[in-house]
Amino acid sequence: MTKRRGLLLILSSPSGAGKTTLTRRLMDWDPAIRFSISATTRHPRPGETDGREYYFRSRTDFEQMVATGEMLEHAEVFGNFYGSPKAPVQSAMDEGRDTVFDIDWQGGQQIRNSSLGRDVVSVFVLPPSIAELERRLRGRGQDSEAVIAGRMAKSRDEISHWAEYDYVIVNTDLDAAFNDLVTVLQAERIRRDRQPDLADFVRGLNKEFEAR
Ligand code: ADP
Ligand code: 5GP
């Protein structure tokens, strides 16, 4: 069997809606999935490790990566720069592994409009309500009041891009939302154009008919 090309699963949402939680679960569900580790100029939160959640880089190093064409996309979010390194994505695709991206709408748009656009499956995650979104941001206990207020202010803008995505999941119940995400991935993996050997396979079926 020829390997199918890995697909690029882009998850976006307002901060706090549950992207990170869903992404982690997805990678436990299928350890072959690669997480696109972004580079960022923001400082690590407690518990975050360089090279695991993000590559934490200085502004100068980040700009260098952009200038040398190492980024598939990059954007400014909440006053910091974020970007997805290109090389790991390309090698995952060649190995037939899917890559999951936790990136904002600007990054989603750039990858969708790039030469890899046909390999993109995009999912927007909505919170059940704005009150619940705020509760989740606070409950995470990782950000100061000022940072939470900034994220809430930005969430309206992020949500305004929901219609640019292939799928939309309202993350009310985590198990149900995760189930929807897995359903999307499983269906996208068996799209006709993602199964490179189908024409040969059907030729084989026809030969079998002829031999009867
Ligand atoms: P994001 O990555 O979109 O910023 P997180 O995955 O960090 O969001 O989720 C924010 C907080 O909300 C976390 O504390 C997470 O455990 C919690 N959370 C995520 N999904 C749900 C859900 N369906 N119900 C209740 N809490 C949730
Ligand atoms: P956080 O600082 O909470 O980890 O992420 C803030 C926002 O930046 C989230 O909406 C996240 O999806 C987005 N983000 C993270 N990495 C990237 C990236 O590489 N590119 C883009 N465009 N956005 C990113």
Side-chain angles (χ1 to χ4, degrees), residues 65-189:
M65 289 176 83
V66 173
T68 51
E70 287 171 57
M71 296 297 201
L72 189 52
E73 61 78 33
H74 66 280
E76 186 176 351
V77 188
F78 309 126
N80 290 303
F81 290 92
Y82 293 83
S84 311
K86 204 183 283 178
V89 178
Q90 197 58 61
S91 56
M93 287 183 90
D94 295 345
E95 289 168 23
R97 287 168 191 264
D98 301 332
T99 303
V100 58
F101 295 78
D102 172 341
I103 61 177
D104 84 332
W105 67 270
Q106 304 175 81
Q109 234 174 43
Q110 289 173 48
I111 301 181
R112 212 180 288 115
N113 294 333
S114 76
S115 60
L116 300 180
R118 72 186 175 89
D119 300 299
V120 168
V121 177
S122 61
V123 178
F124 199 85
V125 181
L126 284 171
S129 69
I130 300 307
E132 174 62 14
L133 180 67
E134 189 163 10
R135 257 194 302 277
R136 288 184 190 171
L137 271 181
R138 281 183 206 291
R140 197 161 65 180
Q142 286 177 330
D143 297 307
S144 67
E145 275 306 308
V147 169
I148 290 174
R151 284 172 189 252
M152 285 304 292
K154 186 86 176 26
S155 65
R156 190 167 187 168
D157 180 40
E158 185 75 28
I159 288 174
S160 74
H161 292 276
W162 69 275
E164 296 163 22
Y165 287 71
D166 299 323
Y167 298 91
V168 177
I169 296 176
V170 180
N171 179 17
T172 309
D173 174 75
L174 186 59
D175 288 339
F178 178 67
N179 192 44
D180 284 349
L181 185 60
V182 166
T183 303
V184 165
L185 183 57
Q186 285 178 321
E188 288 288 343
R189 282 175 170 176

